[in-house]
Amino acid sequence: EIGTRVYSAGPYFNDRSGEEGFMLGVANAEEARAKFRSWIGLIDGVKVYTDITPEEFSALVEEADAAGLRVTGHLGSLTASRAIELGIDRLEHGIYAMSEFGRPSSSAPFDPGYLRGLAAIDFESGAGAALIEKIVASGTVIDPTVVILESLFAGPLELADWKRYLAPRAAETMVRMNEALAGMRAAAGDPAEWKKLVAAVLEKVRSLSHPAIGARDIKECLLLQIDALGLENPLLRAIVESHLEDLEQNRLPRIAKSTGRPIEAVKQAVE
């Protein structure tokens, strides 16, 4: 077979108070069990959403474990710490969905005060350090979804002819969602300050994973790693910013000539 293998969690499991069209609302633990069993054999994992109760969540974890499936979640009603204690396997969206650090309202997901709180989290001490220890000790996976968060906070990437890849109804939904999100971003505050705040939050999200997670291309990927490692090497930065194609083709003499540096210095910078 040729093509992409898609692993699906099916509809999200959520408490009925937070039910949406793409979710399975459950009223209690027993209903959570019953609805999960109806999906066995059709899904590759389980995802819970923001209003799931501890009782409903525990029931789903028990059922998923018995079926050999893993549980992930975009949390809200449960803190990340509590979800780990109850057996979650993966935490979606990094710190944005760890409610021990606060929880945005559905009507104001870009509240600047909430985002400032995220940017100020200290993972070296206090609650932040304690959470990191719990994540590591339990082997819980963090899925930071930096690209998704960046598209929400800063606006979607400009992709040419993207509608052709979606069903008409899905494309219409994306257009409406992007328009609504654009309005929320516009109301969030001064554009320049908003840009700085978004960058600070994304940097904090990346700090819990690989520093280049969410890079849009190889150049940004390498530059993010240079910054994270604290490499003070102007020649290396210049090569990454302006001479990646030459580097890929091993045209080191051309790089040396363009940068005005000896070829040995170029070799040393890229090793």
Side-chain angles (χ1 to χ4, degrees):
E1 296 182 4
I2 298 176
T4 302
R5 172 69 167 97
V6 177
Y7 292 90
S8 173
Y12 301 174
F13 283 81
N14 202 18
D15 184 73
R16 191 174 295 281
S17 63
E19 184 174 5
E20 298 286 350
F22 58 92
M23 299 183 193
L24 282 177
V26 297
N28 50 52
E30 288 310 307
E31 186 174 3
R33 291 180 186 276
K35 287 192 173 181
F36 170 82
R37 290 169 185 167
S38 71
W39 280 85
I40 292 178
L42 302 174
I43 56 177
D44 303 296
V46 182
K47 183 171 183 177
V48 300
Y49 205 56
T50 55
D51 297 303
I52 199 80
T53 69
E55 295 75 20
E56 294 159 355
F57 180 79
S58 295
L60 286 168
V61 169
E62 185 176 324
E63 293 290 331
D65 286 348
L69 300 181
R70 295 186 176 183
V71 179
T72 188
H74 178 156
L75 303 177
S77 53
L78 289 175
T79 65
S81 295
R82 184 61 177 139
I84 290 171
E85 292 168 358
L86 295 175
I88 199 167
D89 297 296
R90 189 169 72 182
L91 300 167
E92 296 295 330
H93 312 306
I95 58 174
Y96 186 73
M98 295 179 179
S99 53
E100 43 262 274
F101 303 118
R103 184 181 180 189
S105 68
S106 58
S107 61
F110 306 130
D111 176 62
Y114 172 65
L115 297 183
R116 290 190 192 98
L118 295 184
I121 296 171
D122 180 7
F123 289 121
E124 300 299 324
S125 62
L131 177 59
I132 295 302
E133 289 180 5
K134 182 168 287 189
I135 290 171
V136 173
S138 63
T140 306
V141 174
I142 298 178
D143 183 11
T145 62
V146 174
V147 172
I148 297 297
L149 294 180
E150 188 170 26
S151 71
L152 292 177
F153 297 154
L157 299 176
E158 294 297 328
L159 302 176
D161 204 21
W162 61 270
K163 292 181 183 179
R164 65 180 291 191
Y165 300 102
L166 296 179
R169 183 176 177 184
E172 291 171 5
T173 300
M174 285 296 297
V175 169
R176 290 196 302 271
M177 185 176 73
N178 285 335
E179 289 174 347
L181 292 172
M184 293 180 187
R185 285 191 294 270
D190 176 76
E193 290 300 314
W194 175 251
K195 185 176 181 179
K196 292 180 182 178
L197 180 55
V198 168
V201 172
L202 293 176
E203 181 179 354
K204 187 66 68 169
V205 172
R206 285 190 176 101
S207 72
L208 289 181
S209 52
H210 192 282
I213 288 244
R216 285 161 289 193
D217 54 35
I218 186 62
K219 180 188 296 186
E220 184 178 18
C221 176
L222 293 173
L223 290 174
L224 285 169
Q225 293 179 78
I226 288 172
D227 291 339
L229 293 171
L231 299 178
E232 299 293 337
N233 189 326
L235 177 57
L236 175 60
R237 181 173 292 275
I239 292 171
V240 172
E241 289 179 340
S242 305
H243 303 284
L244 277 182
E245 184 176 349
D246 287 331
L247 183 61
E248 290 170 358
Q249 300 299 322
N250 200 33
R251 295 193 289 250
L252 302 189
R254 180 180 293 186
I255 297 174
K257 181 178 181 180
S258 178
T259 59
R261 300 295 302 276
I263 192 168
E264 290 303 322
V266 172
K267 290 179 179 179
Q268 185 176 3
V270 301
E271 286 178 350

